[in-house]
Amino acid sequence: MKAIRRFTVRTHLPESIAGLSRLATNLRWSWHPETKNLFRDLDPQAWSELNQDPVALLGSFDRQRLAELAADASIVARVQEATADLDEYLTQDRWFQQDYWGPSAGADAVPRPIAYFSPEFGITAVLPQYSGGLGILAGDHLKSASDLGVPVIGVGLLYQSGYFKQSLSRDAWQMETYPVLDPDNLPLTLLKEPDGSAALVALPLPAGRTLHAQVWRADVGRVPLLLLDSNVPANDDTARSITDRLYGGEGDQRLQQELLLGMGGVRALRLHARLTGTGVPSVYHTNEGHAGFQGIERIEELMNEGLDWETALSSVRASTVFTTHTPVPAGIDRFDRALVEQFFRAGLAPNVPVENVLALGAEDYRGGNPSVHNMAVMGLRLGQRANGVAKLHGAVSREMFKGLWPGFDADEVPISSITNGVHAPTWVSDTVSARAIELFGASAVAGHDWQRVFDVPDEELWEMRRTLRRALIADVRARLRSSWRKRGASEAELAWTDAALDENVMTIGFARRVPTYKRLTLMLRDPARLKRLLTDPEHPVQLVVAGKSHPADEQGKLMIQQMVRFTDDPEVRHRIVFLPNYDIQMASTLMPGCDVWLNNPLRPLEACGTSGMKVAMNGGLNLSVLDGWWDEMYDGENGWAIPTASSAASSEERDDVEAAALYDLLEKELVPRFYGAESSDQAGAAGPSAASRDGIPHQWLAMVKHTMATLGPAMSADRMVQDYVQDLYRPAAEAGRLLDADDYARAREFAAWKTRVRDGFRSVVVEHVDSLGVSEEPQVGDELQVSAYVNLDGLSPEDVSVQAVYGRVTTKPSGAYEEDGLLDTDILELAPAQDLGDGRWQFTGALVIDRSGAFGYSVRVLPQHELLASPAEMALVVNAG
C-alpha cells in the first residue's frame, strides 16, 4: 500500500549525547577522522549500510538504542570530547587571523566575507551536489578556507536529484537514474524568517511569472554554504523544476539556473547577512562563468542607489574575481542572445540597460558569434582579476581569450594562474595520515611537511602500500558484484568476482568524467598488446577504470561501452574492471589504493586534473601526458611523462603515437621497476636485482618518497587558497574598499576617467619614432636613445604610458609568430620630455641593447591609472605603425 502522506521525523537525542546532532550536521566530520570514527563505532554495520551518512545513521536509531548510547559512559565522553574539539575549531584563530591578516591590520580593515559561487560543490558523498572536477575543487576550496580561517561563504544551488546515478545495461550501455533527494534528510538547515517561515528570494520571469527559491545552509567547518532551491510551493510546476538536476535541461532551463545562481545568489547572501548579522561580502569569486549574472545583480543594487552604469560597473569589477576552468570554447556556456534579452526585458534588473548586459557577453571579436551570449566572456568583463587553474592552462586561456584584448600579445592578456590543489585531510587515507602523524607529528602533517618520509623504512612503506591496495581490491570486488547483479547476472555467474584483481599486482587507476578529449579508450588502441600486459604470467598489471559520461554525450557513452565490453572478456576480467557510479566515496578508496594513476588527455585540453594529486599524496605515482598540473610539477623522479605527438597530426595519428608511447613506458619502465628490476636494460643478463631478491622494489619506493616529500605542499589546497587570498582576494578587497569609500567617490572619479580616456584614445596617434646612438655595427651594451612623438589630442601625459617594447626579432613566420615579431621582450617606460603644442608630446628614454642577434623595438601607448589592475585591462593600445 502506498502512503497518502509523508513526514520527515527528526531524531530527538538524549541530552548526554545531544552533541551528535551538531557533529552530524557540520560537514567537518567528513575530513575529521576522530568524528567519523565516533559515528562508525555507534553501529559499524549500519554505518556501512547507510553509506557512512551520520544524519541517516542517527535517524535509524530507535528510542531504545538512543537510550543505550546515552547510558554508555565511553560514548558520552567521546561525544563531549568531539563536540568540544569542534567548538575550538570553529572559534580559534587560524592562519588567516594569526599569520596573514594579524592584529596589525587595524579595526577599519577587518575583512568582510568572500563570496564563492559555483554551480556544484563536492564535499561528501552524502551531499550529492557535484558531477566532477569542478565541484570537487569547489568543495576542497571551502574545506581549506575553513581550515585556514579564511572568511569564505559558498553559494550554489540545491538540485532535487543532484547529478545522475550511473549503472550499466547488460550490453554495457550507460544508464542514468535520478533519485529524488529529501533536503530534510541531508545535513542542511533552512534559512527562516523571524516568524519561522522559509526565507525566500524571488526573480521576475517573462510573462509575469516569478521564480522563488528557499535557501538551505550547509556548514562546511567554519564556512557556510548557501544552496538555493526552487522546489517551493510559491512556484508553478515549471519553476519548481528549475533546480531539479545538475547540468540538466535545455537552454531555457540552464539560463534560469544560472540567473538563480548568480542574481539569486547575491540576494541569498543579503538574506543571510540580515538574518545572521554577518557582514556583506567584500569579494565575489565566480568559479567558472555559470554565476556571472551575480555582477549584474550587484550593478542593479548600486544603480538603484543612484550610481550611473559606469560607476557601478567600476565598483563591481574591482571586487570581483573570475576563474576560468575550461581550455576549450565548447566547454563554455553560451546562450542565445535573444533568450537572454527576453529574460532581462522581464525586469530582472530594471535599472540596468539591457543593451549593457548583452554587451558584456557579446562575442564582438574576430571569429566570435554575434548571436550568442558568452558566460565566460561576461565573467572576464565583470572581473578585474581573472585566473586559470594551472600555469599551462593560464597560457592556453590567454591565447583562447586574446580576442577580447586586440593589439596585445597573448602573454599580456590579463589572466593569471593559480594551480589547483587538493584538500589533504579529505584525500589522504586514514591509514597513511594516522601513521604519518605517529612518525612526523601532527603539525608536520598538517603543514604538509613530509620530508621525514625518507626516514621510513622501505619495508614499512611497502607494507602500507599493500594495505591500501588490499582495501581497494575488497571494495572493487563488492562493487563489481553489485554492478553485475544490476546488469542481470545471477549469483551462479559471479563466483569469478571473488578473485578479481590481486593484491600483489601493480594496480593502475583511471577515473574521471568521460568527454572525448580525456581519451578513456586510448589504452585500448592495441587490445592485443594491452592483453599481454594484463596477463603476463610473471609481471602482470591490473587496471581499475571508472567514469561518467554526460547523459547527452553519445560519443562518451560509446567510449564507456567499448571499455566495458573489453573488461567483460573472461580472459582479462580478473585484471581490468570498470566500476560504475564514480563518486567521492569510491575515490576515497580507489585513489589511495592505486600504485599508478593514468591520465592521457589530448594536450593542452586538461585544465588542471587534480585526481593525480590525490594519488600522489597517498604514495602513488603518476603516468600522464604533460598537461594541467603535471606539466609544471613533473620533475623526472615523481612519475612518468607520456610523450605528446605533434599537434599538427590528425587525432588518429596522435592516438596511435601516444598509445604506443604509453605501452612502451609500461613495458620498459613501470613494470620492471615495480617488480624490482633496476631497469629493463639492467635486468636480464645480470639476473634479478637486489630489490627483487627481498621482494621490495627499492627504486620504486625511492620515487614514492621523493613524490610525497616534494609535491605535498605544492599539491595542497591550503597552498591554493593562500595563493587566492594573497594574489587575488586581498587586492580585490582593497580595491573595492577604496572605490566604495566616501559614497563611491573614487569609483565615480575612476569611471569618469575611463570614459574620458576611452573616448580620447580614438584620436591618439604615434606620429614618429626616432632613435639615436646606434652605430652601423651595434654591439651588446650600446645605448639607444628613443624618442616617440605622440599626438594625445585631449589626453594628458598622466593618462598614458608610452612604452618602448624591445627584444629578439623573428626572421620568418613560425607558428603563432609573424615575421618581424618581437619575442622575449622587455619594456622601457618613456618619459614626457617636451610639450610640442596642440596635444602633441615628445617622450624619450635610453634603451640598452642587451642581447645579440636579430634585435628590434617598437613603441606603443597604453592607458595608465593607479586603479587599473593591468595595463591591458581596458583593452586599449595604440601601436606605432
Side-chain angles (χ1 to χ4, degrees):
M1 181 180 294
K2 186 176 181 180
I4 62 170
R5 195 169 181 189
R6 181 173 176 272
F7 300 91
T8 297
V9 181
R10 291 287 189 177
T11 303
H12 179 71
L13 298 172
E15 183 63 30
S16 62
I17 57 171
L20 286 171
S21 179
R22 287 189 58 226
L23 294 171
T25 54
N26 191 305
L27 295 174
R28 186 214 183 197
W29 66 261
S30 67
W31 73 89
H32 189 246
E34 291 82 358
T35 305
K36 192 186 299 184
N37 292 341
L38 168 61
F39 283 113
R40 179 200 63 198
D41 294 345
L42 297 181
D43 190 328
Q45 182 176 346
W47 175 251
S48 177
E49 292 173 350
L50 294 168
N51 298 316
Q52 302 181 17
D53 182 343
V55 173
L57 179 71
L58 295 181
S60 72
F61 294 152
D62 57 23
R63 292 178 63 185
Q64 180 179 345
R65 179 55 181 156
L66 291 173
E68 291 171 354
L69 293 172
D72 187 327
S74 64
I75 292 294
V76 171
R78 288 178 67 185
V79 171
Q80 292 174 346
E81 181 181 354
T83 305
D85 182 79
L86 177 62
D87 288 337
E88 181 180 6
Y89 174 85
L90 295 176
T91 56
Q92 68 183 172
D93 286 348
R94 304 187 74 82
W95 167 81
F96 187 82
Q97 293 77 21
Q98 294 174 340
D99 302 329
Y100 179 71
W101 197 261
S104 62
D108 60 335
V110 172
R112 302 204 311 271
I114 297 147
Y116 181 87
F117 291 76
S118 179
E120 50 175 306
F121 287 91
I123 299 161
T124 166
V126 306
L127 190 62
Q129 301 292 306
Y130 61 94
S131 71
L134 181 71
I136 301 300
L137 180 278
D140 283 6
H141 195 108
L142 298 194
K143 292 173 186 177
S144 278
S146 174
D147 290 344
L148 295 168
V150 181
V152 167
I153 298 180
V155 182
L157 300 178
L158 182 71
Y159 304 97
Q160 296 154 33
S161 296
Y163 204 49
F164 68 91
K165 286 187 175 292
Q166 179 197 45
S167 59
L168 300 170
S169 69
R170 189 72 192 221
D171 66 349
W173 191 253
Q174 173 179 291
M175 310 287 286
E176 301 100 19
T177 55
Y178 295 87
V180 176
L181 303 173
D182 181 357
D184 288 318
N185 288 330
L186 297 175
L188 302 170
T189 55
L190 187 64
L191 284 190
K192 295 183 178 180
E193 297 288 356
D195 64 4
S197 62
L200 298 177
V201 301
L203 297 178
L205 298 177
R209 297 170 59 241
T210 302
L211 174 61
H212 300 89
Q214 58 191 1
V215 184
W216 298 90
R217 170 173 166 155
D219 290 306
V220 187
R222 300 163 66 112
V223 172
L225 168 59
L226 308 181
L227 300 172
L228 287 88
D229 171 17
S230 70
N231 188 20
V232 296
N235 283 332
D236 58 35
D237 289 344
T238 302
R240 290 184 76 149
S241 67
I242 291 302
T243 57
D244 63 348
R245 297 175 183 178
L246 173 59
Y247 302 140
E250 300 300 325
D252 183 282
Q253 181 173 355
R254 286 289 294 277
L255 176 59
Q256 290 180 74
Q257 283 188 349
E258 299 191 10
L259 289 167
L260 183 60
L261 174 61
M263 303 184 76
V266 172
R267 298 183 188 192
L269 286 166
R270 305 297 183 254
L271 262 184
H272 184 260
R274 173 172 64 81
L275 295 173
T276 64
T278 55
V280 171
S282 59
V283 175
Y284 295 77
H285 181 184
T286 57
N287 190 37
E288 251 314 331
H290 308 83
F293 291 115
Q294 60 80 24
I296 305 300
E297 175 68 15
R298 293 165 54 212
I299 290 171
E300 164 68 18
E301 291 178 333
L302 295 177
M303 294 186 73
N304 193 44
E305 293 180 25
L307 273 63
D308 62 80
W309 160 263
E310 195 66 49
T311 302
L313 177 62
S314 297
S315 171
V316 165
R317 289 191 74 252
S319 55
T320 300
V321 172
F322 173 70
T323 298
T324 175
H325 286 264
T326 179
V328 289
I332 296 170
D333 277 346
R334 300 159 86 218
F335 297 107
D336 186 277
R337 179 183 173 95
L339 182 65
V340 176
E341 180 176 8
Q342 177 188 358
F343 274 86
F344 275 92
R345 294 288 181 200
L348 276 168
N351 293 290
V352 178
V354 175
E355 295 74 16
N356 293 4
V357 175
L358 297 174
L360 289 171
E363 294 187 358
D364 52 358
Y365 44 81
R366 183 181 300 176
N369 182 346
S371 69
V372 302
H373 185 90
N374 186 309
M375 295 299 289
V377 166
M378 183 171 72
L380 289 165
R381 286 173 170 155
L382 280 171
Q384 192 175 32
R385 291 162 181 84
N387 70 287
V389 292
K391 289 180 180 177
L392 177 60
H393 178 239
V396 170
S397 298
R398 289 188 287 275
E399 182 68 32
M400 185 165 73
F401 291 111
K402 67 181 182 181
L404 294 173
W405 289 272
F408 291 91
D409 291 337
D411 60 4
E412 296 179 299
V413 168
I415 301 175
S416 64
S417 297
I418 292 181
T419 301
N420 285 344
V422 299
H423 184 244
T426 294
W427 297 109
V428 175
S429 163
D430 291 349
T431 301
V432 175
S433 61
R435 186 61 178 140
I437 290 171
E438 290 178 10
L439 293 173
F440 317 144
S443 60
V445 174
H448 312 290
D449 180 7
W450 291 65
Q451 289 295 323
R452 290 179 59 192
V453 72
F454 291 110
D455 299 333
V456 178
D458 282 0
E459 295 80 2
E460 180 175 352
L461 182 57
W462 187 237
E463 184 54 37
M464 181 175 291
R465 292 295 314 146
R466 284 172 60 91
T467 299
L468 295 171
R469 200 181 308 124
R470 196 177 298 125
L472 167 60
I473 291 171
D475 189 55
V476 165
R477 290 173 180 173
R479 291 178 183 274
L480 194 59
R481 177 176 288 269
S482 173
S483 173
W484 271 98
R485 282 201 301 264
K486 292 177 182 177
R487 294 176 69 184
S490 66
E491 286 296 323
E493 298 176 84
L494 297 179
W496 66 270
T497 61
D498 294 334
L501 306 190
D502 185 328
E503 67 179 57
N504 298 309
V505 172
M506 183 174 77
T507 305
I508 302 172
F510 182 103
R512 50 192 38 86
R513 290 185 306 108
V514 189
T516 53
Y517 77 87
K518 290 182 183 284
R519 297 193 295 185
L520 168 71
T521 53
L522 186 70
M523 65 184 81
L524 304 182
R525 199 72 181 170
D526 186 341
R529 195 172 179 184
L530 178 59
K531 278 189 176 183
R532 289 196 297 272
L533 279 162
L534 295 169
T535 59
D536 186 280
E538 293 185 6
H539 298 148
V541 302
Q542 58 194 14
L543 276 146
V544 182
V545 185
K548 293 180 177 181
S549 176
H550 188 279
D553 184 358
E554 293 295 310
Q555 187 60 40
K557 290 182 179 182
L558 285 169
M559 294 174 77
I560 290 175
Q561 185 180 52
Q562 182 184 354
M563 173 60 68
V564 175
R565 285 178 172 172
F566 182 87
T567 68
D568 285 351
D569 183 345
E571 187 180 353
V572 296
R573 65 187 183 185
H574 64 299
R575 287 281 184 260
I576 180 169
V577 299
F578 182 91
L579 302 180
N581 207 41
Y582 179 47
D583 65 0
I584 288 175
Q585 196 164 335
M586 182 192 296
S588 66
T589 305
L590 171 59
M591 290 170 174
C594 287
D595 301 294
V596 178
W597 196 251
L598 174 61
N599 187 34
N600 46 231
L602 271 171
R603 188 181 193 269
L605 303 184
E606 181 89 274
C608 185
T610 55
S611 58
M613 294 180 173
K614 298 159 191 166
V615 175
M617 282 186 165
N618 286 282
L621 300 176
N622 277 265
L623 170 61
S624 176
V625 168
L626 286 172
D627 203 0
W629 74 279
W630 192 236
D631 182 71
E632 67 194 75
M633 296 191 194
Y634 168 68
D635 66 7
E637 298 178 34
N638 52 16
W640 293 267
I642 300 172
T644 303
S646 169
S647 59
S650 70
S651 60
E652 289 289 313
E653 291 170 332
R654 288 190 68 172
D655 287 356
D656 285 339
V657 170
E658 294 177 25
L662 167 60
Y663 297 134
D664 283 346
L665 283 169
L666 286 169
E667 293 167 348
K668 298 176 182 179
E669 298 287 339
L670 279 78
V671 168
R673 186 160 294 192
F674 181 85
Y675 288 105
E678 294 295 331
S679 73
S680 58
D681 296 330
Q682 296 171 342
S689 67
S692 63
R693 284 196 295 270
D694 66 7
I696 297 173
H698 296 289
Q699 275 202 341
W700 183 278
L701 293 176
M703 294 178 71
V704 168
K705 291 178 179 180
H706 171 78
T707 296
M708 298 179 77
T710 59
L711 286 185
M715 297 185 299
S716 164
D718 285 2
R719 184 272 311 153
M720 173 188 72
V721 171
Q722 288 170 332
D723 286 350
Y724 273 104
V725 169
Q726 295 165 3
D727 299 344
L728 297 175
Y729 292 164
R730 186 161 191 168
E734 291 174 347
R737 184 168 56 246
L738 180 63
L739 263 67
D740 294 353
D742 300 324
D743 191 29
Y744 304 97
R746 291 301 302 277
R748 298 175 199 272
E749 176 269 320
F750 188 38
W753 178 85
K754 285 193 294 183
T755 299
R756 179 171 59 82
V757 167
R758 193 177 291 115
D759 292 341
F761 243 71
R762 298 173 184 149
S763 304
V764 172
V765 178
V766 180
E767 297 180 336
H768 180 62
V769 178
D770 280 340
S771 56
L772 300 173
V774 177
S775 65
E776 291 185 4
E777 297 183 1
Q779 300 181 11
V780 172
D782 285 356
E783 188 172 87
L784 181 68
Q785 296 290 329
V786 178
S787 292
Y789 298 86
V790 182
N791 188 339
L792 297 178
D793 198 17
L795 300 181
S796 72
E798 291 75 24
D799 294 326
V800 299
S801 169
V802 180
Q803 300 175 344
V805 183
Y806 61 97
R808 185 164 56 88
V809 178
T810 59
T811 56
K812 60 181 180 179
S814 175
Y817 301 107
E818 60 184 350
E819 187 174 355
D820 292 332
L822 288 170
L823 304 176
D824 305 324
T825 56
D826 290 304
I827 292 174
L828 170 69
E829 293 284 345
L830 303 181
Q834 186 176 0
D835 182 351
L836 303 175
D838 296 325
R840 300 174 63 252
W841 284 81
Q842 178 188 9
F843 292 80
T844 62
L847 184 160
V848 176
I849 299 176
D850 61 355
R851 65 202 77 186
S852 59
F855 180 88
Y857 75 93
S858 187
V859 170
R860 67 182 181 183
V861 184
L862 307 168
Q864 176 177 264
H865 194 284
E866 62 176 342
L867 294 177
L868 291 174
S870 160
E873 180 176 322
M874 293 181 67
L876 295 175
V877 61
V878 174
N879 293 306

mmCIF file with all atom_site columns, all heavy atoms in Angstrom, residues 10-15 66:
data_model
loop_
_atom_site.group_PDB
_atom_site.id
_atom_site.type_symbol
_atom_site.label_atom_id
_atom_site.label_alt_id
_atom_site.label_comp_id
_atom_site.label_asym_id
_atom_site.label_entity_id
_atom_site.label_seq_id
_atom_site.pdbx_PDB_ins_code
_atom_site.Cartn_x
_atom_site.Cartn_y
_atom_site.Cartn_z
_atom_site.occupancy
_atom_site.B_iso_or_equiv
_atom_site.pdbx_formal_charge
_atom_site.auth_seq_id
_atom_site.auth_comp_id
_atom_site.auth_asym_id
_atom_site.auth_atom_id
_atom_site.pdbx_PDB_model_num
ATOM 1  N N   . ARG A 1 10 ? 12.293 14.122 12.793 1.00 0.00 ? 10 ARG A N   1
ATOM 2  C CA  . ARG A 1 10 ? 13.630 14.412 13.279 1.00 0.00 ? 10 ARG A CA  1
ATOM 3  C C   . ARG A 1 10 ? 13.952 13.577 14.512 1.00 0.00 ? 10 ARG A C   1
ATOM 4  O O   . ARG A 1 10 ? 13.095 13.348 15.367 1.00 0.00 ? 10 ARG A O   1
ATOM 5  C CB  . ARG A 1 10 ? 13.758 15.899 13.635 1.00 0.00 ? 10 ARG A CB  1
ATOM 6  C CG  . ARG A 1 10 ? 13.711 16.829 12.421 1.00 0.00 ? 10 ARG A CG  1
ATOM 7  C CD  . ARG A 1 10 ? 14.997 16.739 11.643 1.00 0.00 ? 10 ARG A CD  1
ATOM 8  N NE  . ARG A 1 10 ? 15.075 17.766 10.594 1.00 0.00 ? 10 ARG A NE  1
ATOM 9  C CZ  . ARG A 1 10 ? 16.110 17.943 9.815  1.00 0.00 ? 10 ARG A CZ  1
ATOM 10 N NH1 . ARG A 1 10 ? 17.165 17.173 9.940  1.00 0.00 ? 10 ARG A NH1 1
ATOM 11 N NH2 . ARG A 1 10 ? 16.110 18.881 8.880  1.00 0.00 ? 10 ARG A NH2 1
ATOM 12 N N   . THR A 1 11 ? 15.184 13.129 14.588 1.00 0.00 ? 11 THR A N   1
ATOM 13 C CA  . THR A 1 11 ? 15.629 12.355 15.744 1.00 0.00 ? 11 THR A CA  1
ATOM 14 C C   . THR A 1 11 ? 15.824 13.281 16.935 1.00 0.00 ? 11 THR A C   1
ATOM 15 O O   . THR A 1 11 ? 16.491 14.320 16.834 1.00 0.00 ? 11 THR A O   1
ATOM 16 C CB  . THR A 1 11 ? 16.957 11.642 15.423 1.00 0.00 ? 11 THR A CB  1
ATOM 17 O OG1 . THR A 1 11 ? 16.769 10.829 14.264 1.00 0.00 ? 11 THR A OG1 1
ATOM 18 C CG2 . THR A 1 11 ? 17.406 10.789 16.583 1.00 0.00 ? 11 THR A CG2 1
ATOM 19 N N   . HIS A 1 12 ? 15.214 12.915 18.068 1.00 0.00 ? 12 HIS A N   1
ATOM 20 C CA  . HIS A 1 12 ? 15.409 13.674 19.301 1.00 0.00 ? 12 HIS A CA  1
ATOM 21 C C   . HIS A 1 12 ? 16.413 12.925 20.161 1.00 0.00 ? 12 HIS A C   1
ATOM 22 O O   . HIS A 1 12 ? 16.157 11.811 20.615 1.00 0.00 ? 12 HIS A O   1
ATOM 23 C CB  . HIS A 1 12 ? 14.089 13.844 20.057 1.00 0.00 ? 12 HIS A CB  1
ATOM 24 C CG  . HIS A 1 12 ? 14.248 14.605 21.344 1.00 0.00 ? 12 HIS A CG  1
ATOM 25 N ND1 . HIS A 1 12 ? 14.510 15.954 21.384 1.00 0.00 ? 12 HIS A ND1 1
ATOM 26 C CD2 . HIS A 1 12 ? 14.199 14.182 22.643 1.00 0.00 ? 12 HIS A CD2 1
ATOM 27 C CE1 . HIS A 1 12 ? 14.608 16.349 22.641 1.00 0.00 ? 12 HIS A CE1 1
ATOM 28 N NE2 . HIS A 1 12 ? 14.420 15.285 23.424 1.00 0.00 ? 12 HIS A NE2 1
ATOM 29 N N   . LEU A 1 13 ? 17.567 13.537 20.374 1.00 0.00 ? 13 LEU A N   1
ATOM 30 C CA  . LEU A 1 13 ? 18.648 12.863 21.084 1.00 0.00 ? 13 LEU A CA  1
ATOM 31 C C   . LEU A 1 13 ? 18.599 13.179 22.570 1.00 0.00 ? 13 LEU A C   1
ATOM 32 O O   . LEU A 1 13 ? 18.318 14.321 22.966 1.00 0.00 ? 13 LEU A O   1
ATOM 33 C CB  . LEU A 1 13 ? 19.999 13.309 20.521 1.00 0.00 ? 13 LEU A CB  1
ATOM 34 C CG  . LEU A 1 13 ? 20.249 12.992 19.046 1.00 0.00 ? 13 LEU A CG  1
ATOM 35 C CD1 . LEU A 1 13 ? 21.543 13.654 18.578 1.00 0.00 ? 13 LEU A CD1 1
ATOM 36 C CD2 . LEU A 1 13 ? 20.323 11.491 18.823 1.00 0.00 ? 13 LEU A CD2 1
ATOM 37 N N   . PRO A 1 14 ? 18.895 12.199 23.420 1.00 0.00 ? 14 PRO A N   1
ATOM 38 C CA  . PRO A 1 14 ? 19.019 12.462 24.857 1.00 0.00 ? 14 PRO A CA  1
ATOM 39 C C   . PRO A 1 14 ? 20.097 13.514 25.113 1.00 0.00 ? 14 PRO A C   1
ATOM 40 O O   . PRO A 1 14 ? 21.059 13.651 24.344 1.00 0.00 ? 14 PRO A O   1
ATOM 41 C CB  . PRO A 1 14 ? 19.411 11.095 25.432 1.00 0.00 ? 14 PRO A CB  1
ATOM 42 C CG  . PRO A 1 14 ? 18.916 10.103 24.426 1.00 0.00 ? 14 PRO A CG  1
ATOM 43 C CD  . PRO A 1 14 ? 19.044 10.768 23.094 1.00 0.00 ? 14 PRO A CD  1
ATOM 44 N N   . GLU A 1 15 ? 19.945 14.233 26.185 1.00 0.00 ? 15 GLU A N   1
ATOM 45 C CA  . GLU A 1 15 ? 20.819 15.362 26.488 1.00 0.00 ? 15 GLU A CA  1
ATOM 46 C C   . GLU A 1 15 ? 22.295 14.980 26.492 1.00 0.00 ? 15 GLU A C   1
ATOM 47 O O   . GLU A 1 15 ? 23.145 15.712 26.004 1.00 0.00 ? 15 GLU A O   1
ATOM 48 C CB  . GLU A 1 15 ? 20.432 15.975 27.838 1.00 0.00 ? 15 GLU A CB  1
ATOM 49 C CG  . GLU A 1 15 ? 21.231 17.213 28.220 1.00 0.00 ? 15 GLU A CG  1
ATOM 50 C CD  . GLU A 1 15 ? 21.020 18.370 27.241 1.00 0.00 ? 15 GLU A CD  1
ATOM 51 O OE1 . GLU A 1 15 ? 19.914 18.461 26.655 1.00 0.00 ? 15 GLU A OE1 1
ATOM 52 O OE2 . GLU A 1 15 ? 21.948 19.164 27.060 1.00 0.00 ? 15 GLU A OE2 1
ATOM 53 N N   . LEU A 1 66 ? 18.930 4.703  21.319 1.00 0.00 ? 66 LEU A N   1
ATOM 54 C CA  . LEU A 1 66 ? 19.415 6.007  21.767 1.00 0.00 ? 66 LEU A CA  1
ATOM 55 C C   . LEU A 1 66 ? 19.626 6.016  23.277 1.00 0.00 ? 66 LEU A C   1
ATOM 56 O O   . LEU A 1 66 ? 20.602 6.586  23.785 1.00 0.00 ? 66 LEU A O   1
ATOM 57 C CB  . LEU A 1 66 ? 18.421 7.096  21.366 1.00 0.00 ? 66 LEU A CB  1
ATOM 58 C CG  . LEU A 1 66 ? 18.320 7.392  19.860 1.00 0.00 ? 66 LEU A CG  1
ATOM 59 C CD1 . LEU A 1 66 ? 17.191 8.368  19.589 1.00 0.00 ? 66 LEU A CD1 1
ATOM 60 C CD2 . LEU A 1 66 ? 19.638 7.933  19.320 1.00 0.00 ? 66 LEU A CD2 1
#
